[in-house]
Amino acid sequence: MLEHSMLYPKTTLTRRRISMDGMWKFCLDEKAVGEKEGWMDGIPGEEMIPVPASFQDFYTEKDIREYTGDFWYETDFFVPGEWEGREILLRFGAATHRAGVYVNGILITEHEGGFLPFSADVTTVVRYDSYNKVVVKVNNELNCTNIPCGETITLPNGKKMSKPYFDFFNYAGLQRSVYLLALPRESVVDFDLDYAIHGKNAEVSYQVRTNGEHAVQLELLDAEGNCVAQKDGKEGVLYVENAHLWQVRNAYLYRLRIRIMDGEELIDEYEQEIGIRTVKVEGTDILLNGEPVYLRGFGKHEDSDIVGRGFNIGIMKRDFELMKWIGANSFRTSHYPYSEEIYQMADREGFLIIDEVPAVGMFQSLMNFMEASTGKQTAFFEKETTPVLLKAHLRAIEEMIARDKNHPSVVAWSLLNEPETTNEAAVPYFKEVFDLANKLDMQKRPRTFALIMNSLPDTCKCYQFSDIIALNRYYGWYMKGGYEISVAEELFRKEMNAWKEKKLNKPFIFTEYGADTLASEHKLPSVMWSQEYQDEYLKMTHEVFDSYDFIKGEQIWNFADFQTTEGIMRVNGNKKGVFTRQRQPKDIAYKLKERWENLPLDY
Ligand code: GCB
């Protein structure tokens, strides 16, 4: 069980939240002397940097952008005297990839895993009615015992360098908001919900976890604020008459209010918006509220100019507007859980999310996505370090599900992206991962993982774990691109026919397909990288999709161009975006809009 509550920080009648976002002091620790020189009491220099943001893209020096190792943040915070007697926490939305938090010089907590929140309980070390100092040591080194996987090398000049086994820039830092919280000593720690719909009515089953023994009361308020159901006890069922369902692109949100009471006295109150909906896989269908739904949308990234992977509320808004404009209804949080605010927005806008844990790079190759297509065997899960990696992976799953399970938008868990699956050693690893997700999710949402090109019907040893088979396929790009596209189509159909013959009776979705395209490039007749080729590629791919009735979704790679490590495969980043990194449409966006707006919901 997790040490601290993963509930989103809020101010309520009993809780206080102060934002710590802003300019923090910042210092790279190139010689790894921070601890020895006592930086936990205060870091050297006067450099300031914004939080939340990745540190890399502010500076003009390449040594900073590529910096790998420890780097330190510092700020002061004031703790009001009236908070004495409460539980005081510092809550980090994320620290990529690992962090140690010092308050007034004392190490309070350490956390590994760069895309999920954690809290430091500072109750016993803070001084009230005065300023306190928080120093955070962050480290962005990659290895094979943590996710995402990669390695850190040392160049002959002594500088360290990140070698990700994945295709996105290794942005790092305090990339999400930081809050100072005051909670009552006895508080709501967690809750789980499950739904059943009976005609016009609904049942909301719940389990609430608190850290005390006092009575718990629940109220469900409709969008107008009227109480439509209430119940006492830590476990039970709320009955909702004439329930408004949370529908795709037509969300209805209730507000769940959880209170801990001591007689008439309120001990704690927590509120969260929830949506009544069911999600289920039945045969080859994905059912939302019992109705089949066809996913259309994107694999995305949290990625934008200047702030890198830092949460940017403006980019979030623009992305949702573009997704609505183009007729999308879903996205995958490739390749890590996104900022919590993005799920809140998806709840409100009625988007379906496939929530992905940062289990990417599980191929022992720097260009894993390239090498995999050659069918090379790497036996990634047979390494000595696999047990340690599995532990970190399971922990990330636990944190992700704890954080995201009550979002109506989250309809599936993606537990790995493009792992090696052609070796038997993957099987026991997958079993643990898939079993844990099922155990932790009261709603038993469908689980999936994205299959790489060489995970084929006759080579993949792990697809049986998936409730939804999710394929990442690049026929006509990495395989038989350009004038050979007709061969690509044949190979693609051959694969799909082989899946069909397996009669798996499960839905298939495409979680990736796409072609790198430069927004500046036009050529008639087409060449690869031109807008014309992106169009040709998609036409072919969509024709294949339309030929198989067990295909239940298409999420194109990628929503927008994004930053990667430099190299011969990438032109200042991955250019498979339907939109540019600045969120303007490439030509293909208009074609996709036409297709997606005309596909029936249950296509
Ligand atoms: C993949 C990976 C994704 C890459 C993409 C590509 O299969 O999952 O992270 O960015 O291919 O464009 O090569």
Side-chain angles (χ1 to χ4, degrees):
M1 201 179 287
L2 299 170
E3 200 185 331
H4 286 292
S5 172
M6 296 292 268
L7 296 180
Y8 188 72
K10 282 184 181 164
T11 291
T12 69
L13 279 174
T14 57
R15 296 171 172 233
R16 294 292 174 266
R17 176 188 96 163
I18 294 178
S19 170
M20 302 215 351
D21 293 353
M23 296 301 280
W24 287 47
K25 276 187 77 180
F26 180 71
C27 193
L28 299 179
D29 192 357
E30 280 149 317
K31 300 205 169 76
V33 294
E35 253 125 30
K36 215 167 48 212
E37 294 187 356
W39 292 13
M40 38 287 209
D41 295 317
I43 67 176
E46 297 302 322
E47 185 56 26
M48 304 288 284
I49 203 169
V51 170
S54 309
F55 74 80
Q56 282 95 343
D57 286 354
F58 294 119
Y59 297 97
T60 53
E61 293 94 334
K62 193 154 176 173
D63 278 348
I64 302 184
R65 191 185 70 204
E66 302 299 322
Y67 178 80
T68 303
D70 293 339
F71 46 99
W72 297 64
Y73 289 83
E74 176 191 320
T75 195
D76 290 337
F77 62 101
F78 189 85
V79 183
E82 59 270 25
W83 286 10
E84 224 168 324
R86 305 221 196 171
E87 190 178 54
I88 315 294
L89 302 167
L90 284 174
R91 204 252 197 196
F92 295 82
T96 319
H97 294 284
R98 57 192 66 76
V101 179
Y102 300 85
V103 172
N104 298 333
I106 300 164
L107 178 65
I108 307 296
T109 195
E110 291 177 293
H111 183 263
E112 179 149 34
F115 303 95
L116 286 157
F118 62 96
S119 301
D121 184 341
V122 296
T123 315
T124 55
V125 296
V126 286
R127 292 183 290 268
Y128 292 89
D129 266 343
S130 68
Y131 278 96
N132 296 267
K133 188 181 294 302
V134 56
V135 171
V136 189
K137 181 179 106 170
V138 189
N139 175 282
N140 64 348
E141 288 173 38
L142 296 170
N143 55 42
C144 279
T145 52
N146 186 31
I147 49 176
C149 298
E151 49 187 281
T152 303
I153 61 162
T154 305
L155 299 172
N157 64 10
K159 295 198 160 102
K160 284 189 198 164
M161 183 181 173
S162 300
K163 292 277 187 183
Y165 290 175
F166 47 86
D167 185 39
F168 51 91
F169 192 81
N170 187 33
Y171 282 119
L174 297 181
Q175 304 185 122
R176 296 182 187 160
S177 292
V178 183
Y179 290 106
L180 175 65
L181 305 177
L183 304 186
R185 289 286 182 169
E186 186 173 343
S187 61
V188 178
V189 175
D190 193 13
F191 64 95
D192 288 87
L193 302 172
D194 194 16
Y195 306 99
I197 300 166
H198 306 290
K200 286 184 151 90
N201 306 330
E203 287 176 16
V204 182
S205 309
Y206 71 88
Q207 283 173 5
V208 174
R209 194 155 65 83
T210 70
N211 56 2
E213 294 308 319
H214 283 99
V216 166
Q217 290 180 354
L218 266 78
E219 273 180 7
L220 192 67
L221 311 175
D222 67 14
E224 277 78 49
N226 306 310
C227 179
V228 295
Q230 60 191 115
K231 188 92 192 174
D232 291 348
K234 288 188 179 179
E235 230 174 277
V237 182
L238 292 157
Y239 296 95
V240 188
E241 281 180 21
N242 294 317
H244 299 275
L245 299 185
W246 187 93
Q247 313 265 25
V248 194
R249 297 290 297 105
N250 182 17
Y252 185 97
L253 295 177
Y254 288 89
R255 178 170 286 271
L256 182 67
R257 180 178 289 158
I258 306 174
R259 284 182 165 157
I260 303 178
M261 303 294 295
D262 184 1
E264 290 297 294
E265 197 195 325
L266 178 67
I267 296 180
D268 187 26
E269 177 184 84
Y270 188 80
E271 291 192 355
Q272 185 166 315
E273 286 180 322
I274 64 158
I276 297 179
R277 57 105 187 89
T278 59
V279 52
K280 201 169 146 197
V281 161
E282 210 173 77
T284 61
D285 281 325
I286 302 169
L287 302 178
L288 197 90
N289 303 327
E291 303 284 336
V293 57
Y294 185 88
L295 306 184
R296 61 210 75 181
F298 300 95
K300 287 184 96 263
H301 265 298
E302 284 185 288
D303 173 276
S304 63
D305 286 332
I306 319 287
V307 294
R309 209 165 312 296
F311 175 65
N312 180 320
I313 197 166
I315 295 282
M316 172 177 80
K317 172 69 180 163
R318 174 71 177 176
D319 285 6
F320 274 94
E321 287 307 311
L322 291 176
M323 288 196 289
K324 290 193 289 188
W325 171 81
I326 206 168
N329 65 10
S330 65
F331 59 95
R332 175 172 62 128
T333 68
S334 40
H335 292 306
Y336 37 82
Y338 291 175
S339 302
E340 290 151 289
E341 294 78 5
I342 294 174
Y343 300 75
Q344 291 163 5
M345 185 113 178
D347 290 346
R348 190 151 282 287
E349 297 282 6
F351 276 84
L352 308 177
I353 292 179
I354 300 176
D355 203 4
E356 187 158 277
V357 78
V360 54
M362 294 186 155
F363 246 103
Q364 203 171 356
S365 162
L366 289 184
M367 287 187 183
N368 61 336
F369 48 95
M370 274 294 286
E371 201 149 302
S373 56
T374 67
K376 194 176 160 204
Q377 299 263 329
T378 53
F380 184 84
F381 296 105
E382 250 176 357
K383 292 201 287 189
E384 253 173 41
T385 46
T386 300
V388 191
L389 175 67
L390 175 61
K391 224 170 131 200
H393 192 166
L394 295 175
R395 167 100 186 168
I397 290 172
E398 189 180 0
E399 290 178 356
M400 175 177 80
I401 293 181
R403 192 194 72 162
D404 297 340
K405 60 192 172 185
N406 293 320
H407 289 290
S409 55
V410 173
V411 294
W413 307 113
S414 171
L415 302 174
L416 313 94
N417 180 69
E418 300 200 335
E420 207 280 319
T421 65
T422 56
N423 188 289
E424 278 297 333
V427 175
Y429 189 100
F430 269 64
K431 185 163 176 10
E432 290 218 35
V433 161
F434 277 74
D435 283 354
L436 182 70
N438 203 45
K439 187 175 130 211
L440 295 176
D441 183 12
M442 183 171 172
Q443 295 178 20
K444 309 292 174 215
R445 264 162 279 221
R447 298 150 301 164
T448 189
F449 74 99
L451 274 73
I452 194 166
M453 279 295 268
N454 81 334
S455 294
L456 294 163
D458 57 341
T459 57
C460 178
K461 303 206 184 322
C462 300
Y463 64 79
Q464 69 278 8
F465 291 108
S466 282
D467 301 309
I468 299 171
I469 310 283
L471 302 179
N472 291 358
R473 289 298 178 264
Y474 290 94
Y475 289 101
W477 187 254
Y478 291 122
M479 194 183 277
K480 303 291 175 198
Y483 194 47
E484 290 180 284
I485 195 167
S486 56
V487 186
E489 179 170 352
E490 259 174 56
L491 293 172
F492 195 1
R493 287 182 185 276
K494 197 170 152 221
E495 181 187 342
M496 294 319 296
N497 290 338
W499 284 116
K500 189 175 172 182
E501 270 162 37
K502 286 212 165 268
K503 296 196 173 54
L504 297 182
N505 199 27
K506 288 183 181 186
F508 278 61
I509 57 172
F510 284 84
T511 33
E512 286 185 28
Y513 62 104
D516 282 277
T517 305
L518 295 174
S520 57
E521 223 48 65
H522 279 283
K523 191 122 178 157
L524 189 65
S526 76
V527 289
M528 291 172 82
W529 296 86
S530 68
Q531 306 238 17
E532 285 71 14
Y533 188 72
Q534 194 176 26
D535 184 28
E536 244 170 83
Y537 169 90
L538 281 201
K539 237 184 237 150
M540 181 281 279
T541 308
H542 288 152
E543 267 167 30
V544 175
F545 291 175
D546 294 343
S547 316
Y548 298 89
D549 58 7
F550 55 89
I551 295 175
K552 298 298 175 181
E554 51 194 61
Q555 295 187 328
I556 192 170
W557 192 255
N558 187 283
F559 171 76
D561 293 346
F562 60 92
Q563 193 65 55
T564 64
T565 306
E566 60 191 325
I568 51 169
M569 291 281 296
R570 296 287 176 255
V571 188
N572 183 17
N574 187 308
K575 302 292 183 201
K576 294 193 185 69
V578 170
F579 300 95
T580 62
R581 199 181 194 209
Q582 292 69 37
R583 274 56 177 182
Q584 296 303 334
K586 295 185 191 168
D587 290 355
I588 202 66
Y590 300 94
K591 296 271 175 67
L592 267 178
K593 179 174 165 65
E594 208 182 304
R595 174 176 169 82
W596 286 349
E597 284 184 344
N598 289 309
L599 286 181
L601 179 65
D602 61 349
Y603 179 61

